[in-house]
Amino acid sequence: MAQSKGLQEAQLQDISNRVLQLSQADHCRVRINSGWRGYTRVATNRITSAGGSDSISVNITSVFGNRVASVDTNRLQDEDLRQAVRRCEDMARLAPENPEYMAELGPQIYQSNQGYYQSTGELEPQDRARAAALAIEKAKAAEQIAASYMDVRAGTTAVATSGGLFASHASTGVAYTLTSRTPDGLQSGWAGDEASDWNNIESDRVAQDAVRKCRDWRKTGMEPGLYTAILEPTAVGMLMSRMRNAFNQRTADEGRSYFSRPGGGNLIGEALFDDRITITSDPGYRDAETAPFTASGEAVGRQTWINSGSLVDLSRSRFWADKQGQQPLPAPANLIMSGGDDSIAQMIASTERGVLLTRFWYIRGLNPRTISYTGLTRDGTFLIENGRISRPINNFRFNQSLVEMLQNVEMLSPAVRVAASENSSVSSPIVVPAMKVANFNLSSVSDAI
Amino acid sequence: MKLTASSAAGSALTACANPAMLQRTNAFTSAEKTLLLHAIDAARAAGADYADGRIIRTQFEAIGTREQSITQVQSTDSFGINVRALVGGSWGFSATQNLQRDAVAAMAREAVAVARANNEVAPSQTVLAPVEVFPDARWVTPHRIDPFDVGLEEKADLLLRANAEALRVNHIRFAASSILSVKEQRLIATSEGSFVDQTYFRINPAMTITAISDDGSDFQTRGAVVEPAGRGYEYVMGLDLVANAPRWAEEAAMKLQAAPVEPGSWDLVLHPSNLWLTIHESIGHPTELDRALGYEANYAGTSFLYPPEAVLGQTRLGPDFMQFVGNRTEIGGCATTGWDDEAVPAEAWPIIEEGVFVDYQTTREQADWIAQQTGINRSHGCAYGQNWQSMPFQRMPNVSLMPGQQNLSEEDVIAATDHGIFVEGRGSYSIDQQRYNIQFAGQVFWEIKDGKKHRMLRDVAYVGRTPEFWNALDVIGGEDTYFLGASFGDAKGQPGQVNAVSHGCPVSLFRNIDILNTA
C-alpha cells in the first residue's frame, strides 16, 4: 500500500517530542497539521489554474500559571523550533493572566476511525484534469461554458501535551463543483459533490446535472413572497452548516442565543422543531469522517443535538462546563441530519404551488435571536404548479429564520453528503436530506443569473 | 475645482514612500534572492515561456480579550516559495516550504509540468501586457511604529482598559476587543528581470460591546467601531479606544430601547463606516474583469457590467459628480503597495468617471482583453496571492468614492433630508452573484426628521438594485467627511484566497431607498 500523504505517526511524534523537550514552560501543547492540497480550476472552457503544495505547520502553546500564548510556524529545523518555543514562552510570560485557561489534558481515549482514503490520497493531476476535460466536453456539446473546481486534500493532524497526551488522525477530502452557463449569460446551472473517498465523487453525474440545469433554467418573472419550497440537499446543507454555530451553551446561558431561556438558562430538553428533525455529529460517520479529538485533545464522540425535534444538548467548553458543574462537550465537527423516505420527485408531485431551489449564495446572519439568515438563490430556481415543474423563474433573496424552517418541514429525502461551502473547498462534512418546507420567505427578486 | 479621478490620484490621498523607511528594510538575504532566481531559472530550463516567483514570509500576531480576560495571544509565521509558469497559453503553479535548492528546482519544474499538462487538455492563448523591468525595487508600507515592536502587555492593557470603560455603562454585560497585526514580506522575481522586495504592514483593531435588557429577553451589540488599515501601530494609538468605549457602549444600550424601524421608503445618509462595504460589494466586485468574463462563475459569480464592449464608457451608474478611483497608492489603504505580485508598479486610475463606468481592474494577462475598448494596454497592477501557497490572480485594489467639491459637512448632508435614516458601521451584508440585489444593515441607526438626528432606530436593513441605488445618490460630503473603511477578509478564487482592501468615501445621501425591518 502506498504511503499516505502528510507526516506519518512516527514523524508527528518526533516533532511533538522535540517541541515538548524544548519547552521550559509549566505546560506545553503542540498541534501539527501536515498534508497536501491539489486543485484544478476551469473557466471559459479551459483550465485557468491548477497546482498543488505540501505544507506542514506546527502550533505551539506555552503556559506559565494562567498566562498563555501560541505560536504557529512552518519552519521545522531544530533551531527554528527552538526559536519558536522561546518566542512562544516569551509571549506567554508577558501575556496577562487568562482566568479561563484550563490545564492541559493527559492521555485520553479516542474513538478510532479511518478518514484517509488511498483513492483520494493517490489522486494525480491527470485525474483532476480528466474530470475537468469531461466537464468542458459536456458543456461544449451543449453550447455552454464550463467553470469548475476540484479541491483535493490529504494529510494528517496531531496534538500532544506535556501532560502525556498524544493523538493523531489522517484524513482525505475531495470537493468537485461545476457551473455551466450559456454564452449569452442568460442561463446557468450548478451541480456538485463532496466526499472523503474519491470513488464516491460522481464527476459524470455532476457534469450532466449542471449542463441539464443550465439548459432548463432561463428565467421568467416571478414575484417574491412566502412559498412552499423544495430545497435540494445542497441548499439545505448551506443553511444547516450555519445551524451548527447556534449549538453553544455559553451564548445560550448568557442570554445571547435563540436557545436562551427567558429569565436565564437555556432550552435544553425543550421540543422546539418538527418531530422529524434529528441532528447529530459523529466523527466516525462513513465518508464524512472527522478527527475524533479537538485542537486541545478532548475526545469527540457521536453526539445527538436535536432528537425528534427536541434540543438534547449544547456544546460546552471545558471552562464553561467547569463553571456550570457539567461535563464538557466539544462543538460538532460535522453535521448529520436524519432524512426521510421521500424523493425530490415525490416532493414535486405533492406540491400544488411552490419553488424548487438548487443552492444559495452569500448567506449572512440577520438575527441570532431567531437564527435568521439572508442570502440568494442561484443556478437553478423553478416554479412548481400542480405537481410539476412549470417553468424556470428568477432568483430571489431570502430572509428566513432557520428555527421556523425546521418547524415548517413537510417532507424529507434520504440524507447525502453535500458540497456546502460557498467557495466549494473541502469543508466540514455536512450530510443532509432534501427538504420540503412551508412558508419559505423569498423576500425580493434578484436579477442575477 | 472638480475632484476627478486623475486629480485625486495626485492629491493628498496618494501615498509616497518614505525613503528613510525604505533603507530600514532588509527583508530578504542575498541567499534567498539567489534561491528565487534559481527557481526562475529552473522553470525556464524546463520549458516555461515565462515564469515568476515569490518568496513570502507572512507574520500574524493576534491578541484578544473579553471583559477582563485574555482570550487569545497568538503569533503565526509562515514562509515558503512559489513559481507560476506559463507554457503555451496555460498557467501552472507550485509551492513549497522546503527551501533546499533541489526541492525548489523540483517545485519549479512541477509548475511547468502542470502548465504543460493543462495546455494539452485545453490549449489557450495568453498575452502579457508590457511592463517596465525593475531590477532592484523596494517598498514598505508607510508607518511610524512596527506593530511587532510593540509589547503584548501594552496592547493587552489598552484593550482591557477599553473593555473596562465599556462595562461601566448600564446594561453592558460583555465587551470583547482585539488587535490583529500583519507583516508580509515579499520578494518577487520575473523571468523578464524584475526583482521587487516589499514589506506590508496592516493592523486590525476591533471591539464588540453587548448590552442585555433587564429581563434578559433582548440583547443588542455595537461592533465594527473602528476600521482596519494599512498602517503601523501609531494608527491604533490614534483611535483612542479607551476614551471612545463609553460612547460605543451607550449606543449598544440605547439599541435596547430604540424604536423599531417602519419598513418603507426612506432617504439614507450613509456614514463612510457603513458605505465603504456597500462600495466594496456593489462597485468593487462588479468591476473585476476576470469576474465579468466568467472566471469566477463557479464561486464568486459574474458581473452585471458585461459584456465589456457594451458597458465600458456607456453604462451610467450614478450622477455626474460620482467619481470612483481604483487606487493602489492611497496612504493607509490595505491594498496599497509599491508593485503588485507581477512586478507592475502601483497606480491610481478612474473606474467610474462623471457617473459612467469607464474601466475595470486588471492584471497583465487581462489588460489585453479590453485594450480595444479602453485604449489601455498596461496592467493596472491588481495581481496578488494571499501567501506563499497561493497563485496570484486579480484582486481588488482600494476602490474609493471621491468627496464632493462643495466640501459639505456631515451636518450639511443630514440637513438635506426631512425623512431619513443615518447609518453608521457595517452590519449584515449580502449581495447576489452578479451584484444586483443588495441588502445591507448597519450598527447604529438614527432617524432624521426635518434635517436633524431625531431618535435611534433598530433592526434596519436597506435593500435595492445596484444601478438604481447608485443613481439615487444625491448629495455627498466633502473631503473632511472622507475616510477609509476596510476588510481583511475579501474572499475570491478557488482555492479561496483572502485579500485586504480599503474603500474611501464621504458621507453620502441616497434618495428613496427601500428599508426592511429585520427583527
Side-chain angles (χ1 to χ4, degrees), chain B residues 401-425:
Chain B
L401 172 64
M402 295 295 98
Q405 53 186 313
Q406 292 176 295
N407 208 23
L408 300 179
S409 67
E410 183 176 300
E411 292 72 26
D412 293 335
V413 178
I414 289 172
T417 177
D418 292 332
H419 175 67
I421 302 173
F422 180 74
V423 185
E424 282 184 84

PDB file of all heavy atoms in Angstrom, chain B residues 401-425:
ATOM      1  N   LEU B 401     -14.773  56.266  -3.474  1.00  0.00           N
ATOM      2  CA  LEU B 401     -15.663  57.323  -3.984  1.00  0.00           C
ATOM      3  C   LEU B 401     -15.066  58.670  -3.572  1.00  0.00           C
ATOM      4  O   LEU B 401     -14.852  58.929  -2.381  1.00  0.00           O
ATOM      5  CB  LEU B 401     -17.059  57.147  -3.376  1.00  0.00           C
ATOM      6  CG  LEU B 401     -18.085  58.266  -3.630  1.00  0.00           C
ATOM      7  CD1 LEU B 401     -18.406  58.391  -5.121  1.00  0.00           C
ATOM      8  CD2 LEU B 401     -19.364  58.013  -2.831  1.00  0.00           C
ATOM      9  N   MET B 402     -14.802  59.495  -4.560  1.00  0.00           N
ATOM     10  CA  MET B 402     -14.164  60.780  -4.271  1.00  0.00           C
ATOM     11  C   MET B 402     -15.143  61.746  -3.599  1.00  0.00           C
ATOM     12  O   MET B 402     -16.339  61.758  -3.909  1.00  0.00           O
ATOM     13  CB  MET B 402     -13.650  61.407  -5.577  1.00  0.00           C
ATOM     14  CG  MET B 402     -12.542  60.606  -6.232  1.00  0.00           C
ATOM     15  SD  MET B 402     -11.034  60.557  -5.228  1.00  0.00           S
ATOM     16  CE  MET B 402     -11.187  58.995  -4.401  1.00  0.00           C
ATOM     17  N   PRO B 403     -14.630  62.557  -2.657  1.00  0.00           N
ATOM     18  CA  PRO B 403     -15.503  63.516  -1.977  1.00  0.00           C
ATOM     19  C   PRO B 403     -15.988  64.611  -2.934  1.00  0.00           C
ATOM     20  O   PRO B 403     -15.413  64.831  -3.995  1.00  0.00           O
ATOM     21  CB  PRO B 403     -14.597  64.099  -0.886  1.00  0.00           C
ATOM     22  CG  PRO B 403     -13.200  63.823  -1.324  1.00  0.00           C
ATOM     23  CD  PRO B 403     -13.252  62.581  -2.167  1.00  0.00           C
ATOM     24  N   GLY B 404     -17.047  65.304  -2.525  1.00  0.00           N
ATOM     25  CA  GLY B 404     -17.642  66.333  -3.373  1.00  0.00           C
ATOM     26  C   GLY B 404     -16.868  67.640  -3.324  1.00  0.00           C
ATOM     27  O   GLY B 404     -16.152  67.927  -2.366  1.00  0.00           O
ATOM     28  N   GLN B 405     -17.041  68.429  -4.362  1.00  0.00           N
ATOM     29  CA  GLN B 405     -16.277  69.673  -4.463  1.00  0.00           C
ATOM     30  C   GLN B 405     -16.858  70.784  -3.588  1.00  0.00           C
ATOM     31  O   GLN B 405     -16.194  71.782  -3.319  1.00  0.00           O
ATOM     32  CB  GLN B 405     -16.217  70.136  -5.920  1.00  0.00           C
ATOM     33  CG  GLN B 405     -17.568  70.243  -6.580  1.00  0.00           C
ATOM     34  CD  GLN B 405     -17.439  70.569  -8.053  1.00  0.00           C
ATOM     35  OE1 GLN B 405     -16.682  71.459  -8.411  1.00  0.00           O
ATOM     36  NE2 GLN B 405     -18.164  69.863  -8.894  1.00  0.00           N
ATOM     37  N   GLN B 406     -18.119  70.610  -3.113  1.00  0.00           N
ATOM     38  CA  GLN B 406     -18.719  71.679  -2.305  1.00  0.00           C
ATOM     39  C   GLN B 406     -18.267  71.630  -0.848  1.00  0.00           C
ATOM     40  O   GLN B 406     -18.612  72.502  -0.057  1.00  0.00           O
ATOM     41  CB  GLN B 406     -20.246  71.585  -2.363  1.00  0.00           C
ATOM     42  CG  GLN B 406     -20.795  71.920  -3.740  1.00  0.00           C
ATOM     43  CD  GLN B 406     -22.306  71.719  -3.783  1.00  0.00           C
ATOM     44  OE1 GLN B 406     -22.792  70.600  -3.638  1.00  0.00           O
ATOM     45  NE2 GLN B 406     -23.020  72.799  -3.966  1.00  0.00           N
ATOM     46  N   ASN B 407     -17.537  70.609  -0.502  1.00  0.00           N
ATOM     47  CA  ASN B 407     -16.999  70.428   0.847  1.00  0.00           C
ATOM     48  C   ASN B 407     -18.077  70.500   1.926  1.00  0.00           C
ATOM     49  O   ASN B 407     -17.935  71.175   2.949  1.00  0.00           O
ATOM     50  CB  ASN B 407     -15.896  71.456   1.132  1.00  0.00           C
ATOM     51  CG  ASN B 407     -14.904  70.898   2.147  1.00  0.00           C
ATOM     52  OD1 ASN B 407     -14.789  69.675   2.291  1.00  0.00           O
ATOM     53  ND2 ASN B 407     -14.210  71.766   2.852  1.00  0.00           N
ATOM     54  N   LEU B 408     -19.172  69.774   1.710  1.00  0.00           N
ATOM     55  CA  LEU B 408     -20.256  69.741   2.686  1.00  0.00           C
ATOM     56  C   LEU B 408     -19.829  68.951   3.919  1.00  0.00           C
ATOM     57  O   LEU B 408     -19.112  67.961   3.829  1.00  0.00           O
ATOM     58  CB  LEU B 408     -21.505  69.091   2.085  1.00  0.00           C
ATOM     59  CG  LEU B 408     -22.106  69.777   0.853  1.00  0.00           C
ATOM     60  CD1 LEU B 408     -23.327  69.000   0.358  1.00  0.00           C
ATOM     61  CD2 LEU B 408     -22.490  71.222   1.171  1.00  0.00           C
ATOM     62  N   SER B 409     -20.317  69.374   5.091  1.00  0.00           N
ATOM     63  CA  SER B 409     -20.049  68.651   6.339  1.00  0.00           C
ATOM     64  C   SER B 409     -21.106  67.558   6.528  1.00  0.00           C
ATOM     65  O   SER B 409     -22.107  67.503   5.804  1.00  0.00           O
ATOM     66  CB  SER B 409     -20.124  69.615   7.522  1.00  0.00           C
ATOM     67  OG  SER B 409     -21.463  70.060   7.671  1.00  0.00           O
ATOM     68  N   GLU B 410     -20.882  66.700   7.535  1.00  0.00           N
ATOM     69  CA  GLU B 410     -21.873  65.656   7.849  1.00  0.00           C
ATOM     70  C   GLU B 410     -23.226  66.296   8.173  1.00  0.00           C
ATOM     71  O   GLU B 410     -24.274  65.819   7.724  1.00  0.00           O
ATOM     72  CB  GLU B 410     -21.367  64.841   9.040  1.00  0.00           C
ATOM     73  CG  GLU B 410     -22.253  63.686   9.426  1.00  0.00           C
ATOM     74  CD  GLU B 410     -21.635  62.874  10.559  1.00  0.00           C
ATOM     75  OE1 GLU B 410     -20.514  62.351  10.367  1.00  0.00           O
ATOM     76  OE2 GLU B 410     -22.256  62.786  11.629  1.00  0.00           O
ATOM     77  N   GLU B 411     -23.201  67.383   8.937  1.00  0.00           N
ATOM     78  CA  GLU B 411     -24.446  68.064   9.295  1.00  0.00           C
ATOM     79  C   GLU B 411     -25.147  68.614   8.045  1.00  0.00           C
ATOM     80  O   GLU B 411     -26.381  68.574   7.954  1.00  0.00           O
ATOM     81  CB  GLU B 411     -24.174  69.217  10.285  1.00  0.00           C
ATOM     82  CG  GLU B 411     -23.715  68.766  11.657  1.00  0.00           C
ATOM     83  CD  GLU B 411     -22.286  68.214  11.662  1.00  0.00           C
ATOM     84  OE1 GLU B 411     -21.476  68.604  10.790  1.00  0.00           O
ATOM     85  OE2 GLU B 411     -21.989  67.365  12.518  1.00  0.00           O
ATOM     86  N   ASP B 412     -24.363  69.138   7.104  1.00  0.00           N
ATOM     87  CA  ASP B 412     -24.950  69.654   5.859  1.00  0.00           C
ATOM     88  C   ASP B 412     -25.704  68.542   5.128  1.00  0.00           C
ATOM     89  O   ASP B 412     -26.798  68.751   4.597  1.00  0.00           O
ATOM     90  CB  ASP B 412     -23.863  70.189   4.921  1.00  0.00           C
ATOM     91  CG  ASP B 412     -23.168  71.431   5.469  1.00  0.00           C
ATOM     92  OD1 ASP B 412     -23.789  72.143   6.276  1.00  0.00           O
ATOM     93  OD2 ASP B 412     -21.996  71.656   5.085  1.00  0.00           O
ATOM     94  N   VAL B 413     -25.093  67.365   5.085  1.00  0.00           N
ATOM     95  CA  VAL B 413     -25.706  66.257   4.332  1.00  0.00           C
ATOM     96  C   VAL B 413     -26.970  65.796   5.055  1.00  0.00           C
ATOM     97  O   VAL B 413     -28.007  65.550   4.428  1.00  0.00           O
ATOM     98  CB  VAL B 413     -24.701  65.099   4.148  1.00  0.00           C
ATOM     99  CG1 VAL B 413     -25.355  63.929   3.417  1.00  0.00           C
ATOM    100  CG2 VAL B 413     -23.470  65.581   3.378  1.00  0.00           C
ATOM    101  N   ILE B 414     -26.890  65.691   6.381  1.00  0.00           N
ATOM    102  CA  ILE B 414     -28.082  65.294   7.160  1.00  0.00           C
ATOM    103  C   ILE B 414     -29.205  66.317   6.983  1.00  0.00           C
ATOM    104  O   ILE B 414     -30.386  65.970   6.885  1.00  0.00           O
ATOM    105  CB  ILE B 414     -27.702  65.120   8.652  1.00  0.00           C
ATOM    106  CG1 ILE B 414     -26.837  63.867   8.820  1.00  0.00           C
ATOM    107  CG2 ILE B 414     -28.938  65.037   9.534  1.00  0.00           C
ATOM    108  CD1 ILE B 414     -26.234  63.698  10.214  1.00  0.00           C
ATOM    109  N   ALA B 415     -28.818  67.577   6.907  1.00  0.00           N
ATOM    110  CA  ALA B 415     -29.821  68.648   6.778  1.00  0.00           C
ATOM    111  C   ALA B 415     -30.548  68.598   5.441  1.00  0.00           C
ATOM    112  O   ALA B 415     -31.581  69.247   5.271  1.00  0.00           O
ATOM    113  CB  ALA B 415     -29.146  70.003   6.959  1.00  0.00           C
ATOM    114  N   ALA B 416     -30.030  67.814   4.501  1.00  0.00           N
ATOM    115  CA  ALA B 416     -30.622  67.785   3.160  1.00  0.00           C
ATOM    116  C   ALA B 416     -31.805  66.834   3.052  1.00  0.00           C
ATOM    117  O   ALA B 416     -32.331  66.610   1.968  1.00  0.00           O
ATOM    118  CB  ALA B 416     -29.547  67.416   2.129  1.00  0.00           C
ATOM    119  N   THR B 417     -32.228  66.216   4.167  1.00  0.00           N
ATOM    120  CA  THR B 417     -33.421  65.359   4.102  1.00  0.00           C
ATOM    121  C   THR B 417     -34.331  65.604   5.300  1.00  0.00           C
ATOM    122  O   THR B 417     -33.860  65.864   6.413  1.00  0.00           O
ATOM    123  CB  THR B 417     -33.055  63.866   4.037  1.00  0.00           C
ATOM    124  OG1 THR B 417     -34.280  63.103   4.057  1.00  0.00           O
ATOM    125  CG2 THR B 417     -32.200  63.417   5.207  1.00  0.00           C
ATOM    126  N   ASP B 418     -35.627  65.482   5.061  1.00  0.00           N
ATOM    127  CA  ASP B 418     -36.615  65.633   6.137  1.00  0.00           C
ATOM    128  C   ASP B 418     -37.070  64.297   6.687  1.00  0.00           C
ATOM    129  O   ASP B 418     -37.675  64.229   7.747  1.00  0.00           O
ATOM    130  CB  ASP B 418     -37.858  66.381   5.604  1.00  0.00           C
ATOM    131  CG  ASP B 418     -37.522  67.816   5.267  1.00  0.00           C
ATOM    132  OD1 ASP B 418     -36.587  68.358   5.889  1.00  0.00           O
ATOM    133  OD2 ASP B 418     -38.166  68.376   4.359  1.00  0.00           O
ATOM    134  N   HIS B 419     -36.836  63.211   5.926  1.00  0.00           N
ATOM    135  CA  HIS B 419     -37.350  61.893   6.312  1.00  0.00           C
ATOM    136  C   HIS B 419     -36.271  60.868   5.949  1.00  0.00           C
ATOM    137  O   HIS B 419     -36.268  60.314   4.851  1.00  0.00           O
ATOM    138  CB  HIS B 419     -38.655  61.605   5.546  1.00  0.00           C
ATOM    139  CG  HIS B 419     -39.198  60.226   5.783  1.00  0.00           C
ATOM    140  ND1 HIS B 419     -39.681  59.810   6.997  1.00  0.00           N
ATOM    141  CD2 HIS B 419     -39.345  59.166   4.948  1.00  0.00           C
ATOM    142  CE1 HIS B 419     -40.098  58.551   6.899  1.00  0.00           C
ATOM    143  NE2 HIS B 419     -39.896  58.142   5.665  1.00  0.00           N
ATOM    144  N   GLY B 420     -35.357  60.690   6.865  1.00  0.00           N
ATOM    145  CA  GLY B 420     -34.237  59.826   6.512  1.00  0.00           C
ATOM    146  C   GLY B 420     -33.725  59.013   7.681  1.00  0.00           C
ATOM    147  O   GLY B 420     -34.202  59.129   8.818  1.00  0.00           O
ATOM    148  N   ILE B 421     -32.760  58.165   7.375  1.00  0.00           N
ATOM    149  CA  ILE B 421     -32.086  57.361   8.394  1.00  0.00           C
ATOM    150  C   ILE B 421     -30.579  57.518   8.193  1.00  0.00           C
ATOM    151  O   ILE B 421     -30.079  57.368   7.069  1.00  0.00           O
ATOM    152  CB  ILE B 421     -32.461  55.866   8.284  1.00  0.00           C
ATOM    153  CG1 ILE B 421     -33.976  55.692   8.424  1.00  0.00           C
ATOM    154  CG2 ILE B 421     -31.732  55.043   9.348  1.00  0.00           C
ATOM    155  CD1 ILE B 421     -34.461  54.269   8.149  1.00  0.00           C
ATOM    156  N   PHE B 422     -29.889  57.843   9.269  1.00  0.00           N
ATOM    157  CA  PHE B 422     -28.430  57.954   9.254  1.00  0.00           C
ATOM    158  C   PHE B 422     -27.864  56.631   9.753  1.00  0.00           C
ATOM    159  O   PHE B 422     -28.252  56.146  10.827  1.00  0.00           O
ATOM    160  CB  PHE B 422     -28.008  59.104  10.170  1.00  0.00           C
ATOM    161  CG  PHE B 422     -26.524  59.337  10.251  1.00  0.00           C
ATOM    162  CD1 PHE B 422     -25.827  59.914   9.203  1.00  0.00           C
ATOM    163  CD2 PHE B 422     -25.810  58.985  11.393  1.00  0.00           C
ATOM    164  CE1 PHE B 422     -24.453  60.143   9.283  1.00  0.00           C
ATOM    165  CE2 PHE B 422     -24.443  59.206  11.485  1.00  0.00           C
ATOM    166  CZ  PHE B 422     -23.764  59.788  10.423  1.00  0.00           C
ATOM    167  N   VAL B 423     -26.987  56.019   8.979  1.00  0.00           N
ATOM    168  CA  VAL B 423     -26.476  54.679   9.301  1.00  0.00           C
ATOM    169  C   VAL B 423     -24.974  54.745   9.532  1.00  0.00           C
ATOM    170  O   VAL B 423     -24.226  55.242   8.689  1.00  0.00           O
ATOM    171  CB  VAL B 423     -26.773  53.677   8.164  1.00  0.00           C
ATOM    172  CG1 VAL B 423     -26.346  52.269   8.571  1.00  0.00           C
ATOM    173  CG2 VAL B 423     -28.248  53.697   7.786  1.00  0.00           C
ATOM    174  N   GLU B 424     -24.547  54.207  10.668  1.00  0.00           N
ATOM    175  CA  GLU B 424     -23.115  54.117  10.986  1.00  0.00           C
ATOM    176  C   GLU B 424     -22.719  52.664  11.154  1.00  0.00           C
ATOM    177  O   GLU B 424     -23.464  51.873  11.734  1.00  0.00           O
ATOM    178  CB  GLU B 424     -22.816  54.811  12.316  1.00  0.00           C
ATOM    179  CG  GLU B 424     -22.746  56.314  12.272  1.00  0.00           C
ATOM    180  CD  GLU B 424     -22.351  56.834  13.654  1.00  0.00           C
ATOM    181  OE1 GLU B 424     -21.159  56.871  13.956  1.00  0.00           O
ATOM    182  OE2 GLU B 424     -23.277  57.176  14.418  1.00  0.00           O
ATOM    183  N   GLY B 425     -21.525  52.315  10.730  1.00  0.00           N
ATOM    184  CA  GLY B 425     -20.947  50.996  10.990  1.00  0.00           C
ATOM    185  C   GLY B 425     -21.509  49.925  10.079  1.00  0.00           C
ATOM    186  O   GLY B 425     -22.674  49.950   9.694  1.00  0.00           O
TER     187      GLY B 425
END
